[in-house]
Amino acid sequence: MDFRAFGHFDADTPADDALDALVGDPSVHRIEAHTDLLFTKRHTYSRSGIELDFGGHRVRTTGIERNTADNPFGAVLLFRGKVTDTQVDATLSAPMPDLADVFEVPDAGAFEVGQWWAVEVDAVKGGGKYEREVQRLVQITQRVDGTHIRVNYKTGWELAAGRTFRWTRVEPVERSHVRNMVFEGVPGGDQYTGSHPVAYEYAVSCDVSGIDATDTFWPVVMRRWCTSFHTYQCQLRNPASVTWGGAGYLTQQIYCLYGHVEDCHASNARHLNDWTASAYGYVTNCHGDGDDQGPFVTHGQFEHDLVYTGNSGLMTFANSGAAWGSAAKRITVRQHVCSWFVARVEVTDLTLEDVRVIGNAQPGSGMIWVNADGAQLRGCTASGPLVITQASALSRRATVVADSTFHQGKGSVITQEDVRTAVHLERVTLTGLDGAAFKGAGDLVLDRCVLTGASDQAGPSTVAHPSVTIGGGRYRDTGFVLNGAKDQEIQIGDGARFAGTNSAGALLGRTGGDRTVTWRLDGFHGETTASGTAHLKITEGTNRYQAAHCSFTGGRLELAAGAFEGTGHLLHSGCVESGTTRTAMPPEGDRIRHEAGNLLLG
């Protein structure tokens, strides 16, 4: 049926009564609009198996009734399932592993296969007020035994014995779809007077497509406790607010599973897509412009297993604060373009592939900032710096940045003090270096990287990592100063080439006298035309030095005698020095060898 059957041929007369009559008639399974319509009420339905197709016509909300406070579900169309009084509490007698789909319950007989339940774990003890790893609408798929049931969802987090789940039986709305409307909200509307088209709560397999919205307040498509849905070919331009919490979104999903957001666009909005406490979602070919507020976000409420492919717009993950846990896991982003990418809090096993960050006038833009907890970046580029911090340590995989290029700029901190895990940079290019710092407390591996200073007067990079391995690569007008607070070791080989100079006049050096630095050079090649520049400047502390199969062209070697006393030692053999001046070298002895076995040219 369509609205013309009730005499609606334009948007002059409110069509609310006609809408109620059509949705309330169980014999009607498809409602069509063939003209523009006016709605002045906010409707709530529990109807399943119905499709509303507005045919691309305008839906206006001039004079709509006031919403209640802080209510993003006060949409023109709210489809809400029934929450029953049946509840079951279950306490884990044993730990529950990650990716589990079998749940312990007091009596499996209380659950029937095919039923839908809202399941929620208790808040983390000592954590944030809303910090819960599991909040999902799931279907019972099997009674495993008398005290275990299987559901259609694999969890994303390990849970300790003693954690308690609350199960609430739900009769969800199913297969109620909304399509094809040009929605006009209330210009300048607020949380009471504003309007938005669609919301779902406790809904399964309910799709939304073809909504083109302007001037909305709350999200154009709002979902909570929803499972298996598709939101596609929707747009939002110029919402009424982008500063009020929760306002100005194209779509938000809270406690949702198996959602797909596709072919959507937002202009000058707060968020195009927000996953909150959601899992196994997919976002494809969605684009945001006027994106300073961040089109693509996760809330930080234990989201997991999300994939983004072929989108554009600013991205920030898990950034809403400690009250919700600031956590997410297994997020993958492919072929993405944005002005800023930040996943700095407890984001575990982040994967970025072919992500391109191009900065603009916004402060902080151009960066990629990630958490060193299993983050893996491949084929990424940024006009600004790479920033690595660590807020969690759950991953079993290494933190690796490979085949990527970043422009660091003056004084950039690449790995910050809180990075405790190993960081691997493989075939990475870092440009614009000038006094950069690697401050991490774990191992640092640079494998066939290319590092270039901003000029021949740029400052070298300081390195505090306890172990540094440099394999191959090219390092020009830069260099490293080991400045850790404790003992350090550095290994350089596989044809690593250091060239040019820097403001310190030394390509490799150290600070701090009250510690030991171990130097292992095998296949190091240094070349400089600046006669005052040292390939190595080692003048303080205790040093254990071994160099073999190395070449030094031009410049000088400054290996002060006092730096190899006590437990220190020096073995410099099998090296070629061409036009290189030994401005300081300790006298040979039982622990010092550097005269025999070298080829000195010029």
Side-chain angles (χ1 to χ4, degrees):
M1 294 187 67
D2 71 70
F3 288 89
R4 292 175 298 181
F6 290 81
H8 291 285
F9 296 93
D10 52 43
D12 293 337
T13 304
D16 300 280
D17 292 341
L19 178 64
D20 288 340
L22 289 166
V23 177
D25 186 341
S27 68
V28 175
H29 61 88
R30 178 177 171 84
I31 300 171
E32 296 182 355
H34 293 270
T35 65
D36 294 349
L37 295 171
L38 172 65
F39 294 110
T40 59
K41 295 182 180 179
R42 305 175 191 268
H43 304 264
T44 300
Y45 302 119
S46 59
R47 171 74 191 273
S48 293
I50 193 166
E51 182 163 335
L52 282 73
D53 190 334
F54 291 87
H57 295 283
R58 290 193 307 162
V59 171
R60 298 171 53 230
T61 55
T62 303
I64 192 168
E65 65 180 326
R66 286 174 65 84
N67 198 358
T68 55
D70 196 24
N71 180 24
F73 294 92
V76 172
L77 298 168
L78 167 62
F79 287 90
R80 188 178 192 273
K82 179 183 177 182
V83 180
T84 72
D85 295 332
T86 303
Q87 287 189 339
V88 175
D89 290 339
T91 301
L92 295 178
S93 62
M96 189 172 181
D98 188 4
L99 293 179
D101 56 11
V102 174
F103 288 72
E104 181 181 1
V105 293
D107 178 15
F111 300 82
E112 295 183 12
V113 173
Q115 286 181 335
W116 289 91
W117 293 72
V119 58
E120 182 176 66
V121 74
D122 58 347
V124 176
K125 293 182 179 179
K129 180 179 180 181
Y130 310 107
E131 195 170 345
R132 304 171 190 270
E133 297 92 335
V134 178
Q135 293 169 291
R136 309 283 185 262
L137 178 63
V138 299
Q139 188 175 37
I140 310 303
T141 61
Q142 182 185 2
R143 292 177 182 166
V144 177
D145 56 35
T147 57
H148 292 87
I149 58 173
R150 190 186 306 277
V151 304
N152 65 336
Y153 162 62
K154 289 185 179 294
T155 63
W157 307 86
E158 296 180 6
L159 299 172
R163 299 293 297 276
T164 299
F165 288 94
R166 169 156 290 181
W167 297 79
T168 304
R169 192 170 68 81
V170 172
E171 297 172 2
V173 168
E174 299 186 58
R175 293 180 172 81
S176 291
H177 313 304
V178 178
R179 309 193 188 281
N180 303 323
M181 72 165 74
V182 177
F183 185 86
E184 297 181 2
V186 179
D190 57 24
Q191 64 165 323
Y192 300 104
T193 62
S195 64
H196 61 296
V198 186
Y200 291 94
E201 191 173 31
Y202 303 106
V204 174
S205 299
C206 293
D207 300 338
V208 175
S209 63
I211 294 183
D212 185 349
T214 56
D215 289 321
T216 51
F217 187 79
W218 295 117
V220 174
V221 184
M222 180 72 199
R223 299 181 186 269
R224 185 167 64 186
W225 296 105
C226 292
T227 298
S228 299
F229 56 85
H230 194 183
T231 301
Y232 60 98
Q233 295 177 352
C234 293
Q235 298 183 64
L236 169 62
R237 294 184 305 278
N238 303 321
S241 174
V242 295
T243 57
W244 188 277
Y249 296 17
L250 174 61
T251 183
Q252 181 174 35
Q253 294 91 197
I254 303 176
Y255 318 150
C256 288
L257 273 177
Y258 310 133
H260 188 178
V261 180
E262 184 178 21
D263 298 340
C264 292
H265 188 270
S267 295
N268 307 320
R270 184 183 178 103
H271 301 321
L272 186 155
N273 184 88
D274 183 353
W275 297 111
T276 297
S278 297
Y280 301 110
Y282 195 17
V283 183
T284 55
N285 194 34
C286 292
H287 306 279
D289 50 59
D291 64 341
D292 290 351
Q293 297 292 329
F296 302 96
V297 298
T298 63
H299 193 266
Q301 203 166 346
F302 296 96
E303 298 83 24
H304 67 91
D305 296 285
L306 306 174
V307 178
Y308 298 78
T309 301
N311 306 296
S312 66
L314 191 151
M315 272 190 166
T316 59
F317 288 158
N319 62 347
S320 293
W324 291 273
S326 295
K329 182 188 287 186
R330 293 189 297 264
I331 298 178
T332 298
V333 182
R334 301 188 181 100
Q335 290 90 48
H336 191 89
V337 179
C338 59
S339 61
W340 189 13
F341 182 94
V342 175
R344 63 180 177 82
V345 291
E346 297 181 27
V347 181
T348 298
D349 288 345
L350 172 71
T351 300
L352 305 183
E353 299 176 359
D354 191 20
V355 173
R356 299 178 183 274
V357 180
I358 301 171
N360 55 27
Q362 184 182 9
S365 70
M367 72 165 63
I368 291 183
W369 187 351
V370 297
N371 178 35
D373 186 13
Q376 297 199 350
L377 288 65
R378 299 188 183 278
C380 299
T381 62
S383 64
L386 169 68
V387 180
I388 302 174
T389 57
Q390 186 169 6
S392 57
L394 299 178
S395 180
R396 295 182 180 180
R397 70 181 192 177
T399 294
V400 179
V401 183
D403 305 311
S404 300
T405 299
F406 310 93
H407 184 79
Q408 293 305 125
K410 187 175 180 60
S412 65
V413 179
I414 300 169
T415 58
Q416 296 192 4
E417 294 96 330
D418 55 8
V419 176
R420 305 174 301 281
T421 190
V423 173
H424 298 253
L425 304 186
E426 301 175 355
R427 300 173 302 280
V428 169
T429 297
L430 302 180
T431 63
L433 292 166
D434 187 358
F438 295 87
K439 295 184 176 182
D443 294 351
L444 175 65
V445 179
L446 305 179
D447 185 3
R448 291 167 178 78
C449 295
V450 176
L451 274 61
T452 306
S455 72
D456 60 5
Q457 289 302 304
S461 298
T462 57
V463 181
H465 292 257
S467 175
V468 183
T469 301
I470 300 174
R474 304 290 184 268
Y475 305 83
R476 175 171 289 279
D477 292 337
T478 182
F480 298 102
V481 175
L482 303 183
N483 70 337
K486 299 180 180 179
D487 293 351
Q488 289 181 275
E489 63 177 16
I490 181 169
Q491 179 171 316
I492 305 177
D494 294 334
R497 293 181 177 274
F498 284 66
T501 186
N502 56 45
S503 63
L507 301 179
L508 292 171
R510 61 160 291 174
T511 64
D514 191 21
R515 61 194 184 92
T516 298
V517 174
T518 300
W519 308 79
R520 298 188 183 93
L521 280 62
D522 190 345
F524 167 95
H525 301 283
E527 180 176 353
T528 179
T529 58
S531 60
T533 295
H535 298 281
L536 290 129
K537 183 178 180 180
I538 304 174
T539 61
E540 57 186 319
T542 300
N543 296 273
R544 297 169 181 172
Y545 172 95
Q546 178 179 337
H549 313 112
C550 299
S551 67
F552 305 91
T553 301
R556 62 194 181 92
L557 294 174
E558 185 174 353
L559 308 177
F564 299 93
E565 296 177 344
T567 59
H569 62 249
L570 183 151
L571 176 62
H572 187 89
S573 178
C575 299
V576 177
E577 301 172 34
S578 178
T580 301
T581 303
R582 294 186 174 191
T583 56
M585 193 69 74
E588 290 221 342
D590 292 342
R591 302 177 67 87
I592 306 293
R593 294 285 189 274
H594 56 75
E595 292 183 358
N598 296 298
L599 181 60
L600 306 182
L601 305 174

